[in-house]
C-alpha cells in the first residue's frame, strides 16, 4: 500500500500537475506515518520521503 501511494506521488510529480501532486501527497503522508508507527519502515525514512515530496510539490509552478 505504501509503495502504491509513493508511486502515485512520483507519477504526479513527473507529470507536472501540481493539483494531482498535492492530492497524492496528502494521501501518502498518513500511510507513511502509519507504516513508521507500526515499525514497518524507520521513522526517519518516512520523514525523508515526506520532506522530499513536500519540497518537490512546492517547487511545481
Amino acid at each position: 500500500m505504501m509503495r502504491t501511494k509513493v508511486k502515485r506521488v512520483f507519477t504526479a510529480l513527473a507529470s507536472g500537475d501540481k493539483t494531482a501532486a498535492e492530492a497524492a501527497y496528502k494521501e501518502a503522508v498518513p500511510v507513511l506515518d502509519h507504516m513508521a508507527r507500526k515499525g514497518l519502515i524507520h521513522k526517519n525514512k518516512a520523514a525523508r520521503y515526506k520532506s522530499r515530496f513536500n519540497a518537490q510539490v512546492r517547487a511545481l509552478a
Side-chain angles (χ1 to χ4, degrees):
M1 185 166 80
M2 180 193 84
R3 287 184 295 193
T4 302
K5 299 292 184 185
V6 168
K7 280 188 232 176
R8 286 183 183 162
V9 177
F10 275 129
T11 55
L13 288 168
S15 71
D17 186 5
K18 186 168 184 161
T19 56
E22 285 175 346
Y25 174 73
K26 286 179 183 178
E27 287 181 10
V29 167
V31 174
L32 288 168
D33 289 337
H34 181 74
M35 295 296 166
R37 244 182 287 117
K38 292 290 185 180
L40 297 171
I41 60 172
H42 196 275
K43 64 177 184 169
N44 290 353
K45 183 174 183 173
R48 185 174 62 239
Y49 268 126
K50 293 189 301 185
S51 175
R52 289 179 182 174
F53 284 153
N54 191 28
Q56 289 175 342
V57 167
R58 292 179 75 197
L60 289 176

